[in-house]
Amino acid sequence: TAGVAWPLPWHRISHNGEWTASTELFVSYWNARLAGSRKAFTQIGLVPVARYRFDHGRSDWFAEGGIGVSYMDRLYQSDRKQFSTRFNFYDTIGIGRSFGDHRQHEVSLRLAHVSNAGLKEPNPGENFVQLRYATQF
């Protein structure tokens, strides 16, 4: 997966932390085994993400989550699963840490779920664990 993110002009302070938001646009390459061979899929997605930074916003640690949309270039099929729609929702939740003189780098561990939210059957969904690196330009 490769993508870009840009901050949104939303910011809130809570009693113990700081809330911010961003939007992420990404392209992912999926590869699945189907009938003894490999099949490739391309996914594009757009996800607004809310982030909570601990210790009144001073901590390098953060938690984040978002719900967005994605579109596949064809119906996802593997030996184990078959989607019924190319349009799907993309949910993510994770925890991470910023580093660098200006917090310009970050590493996070995310869980992502892709499914059509039951709009059409079958809807088996697919789950991913992602190790993510991001940097500001």
Side-chain angles (χ1 to χ4, degrees):
T1 299
V4 295
W6 58 95
L8 295 174
W10 181 81
H11 178 263
R12 297 288 183 269
I13 300 294
S14 69
H15 69 289
N16 287 328
E18 174 187 52
W19 290 93
T20 58
S22 63
T23 300
E24 298 179 359
L25 176 66
F26 66 88
V27 175
S28 294
Y29 172 80
W30 295 21
N31 190 312
R33 185 172 303 282
L34 180 63
S37 63
R38 306 292 297 174
K39 193 166 185 178
F41 305 88
T42 302
Q43 174 191 40
I44 186 167
L46 184 67
V47 182
V49 176
R51 176 175 287 183
Y52 180 81
R53 192 169 294 276
F54 301 95
D55 190 24
H56 305 282
R58 293 185 298 262
S59 176
D60 290 334
W61 291 93
F62 59 85
E64 61 188 2
I67 300 173
V69 294
S70 72
Y71 185 79
M72 304 285 284
D73 65 337
R74 65 182 85 182
L75 284 178
Y76 175 69
Q77 296 178 36
S78 73
D79 287 339
R80 300 180 310 114
K81 296 181 180 183
Q82 179 174 334
F83 283 17
S84 60
T85 59
R86 287 202 240 173
F87 166 83
N88 289 285
F89 293 97
Y90 185 94
D91 309 326
T92 185
I93 189 167
I95 190 160
R97 186 174 188 278
S98 302
F99 57 98
D101 292 339
H102 304 285
R103 290 185 178 161
Q104 70 271 29
H105 304 282
E106 61 188 45
V107 174
S108 59
L109 184 63
R110 284 185 170 181
L111 302 174
H113 174 75
V114 180
S115 75
N116 71 23
L119 296 176
K120 188 174 179 184
E121 295 296 331
N123 181 38
E126 194 68 84
N127 298 310
F128 299 93
V129 175
Q130 301 172 329
L131 179 61
R132 180 178 172 270
Y133 168 77
T135 188
Q136 294 178 8
F137 293 101

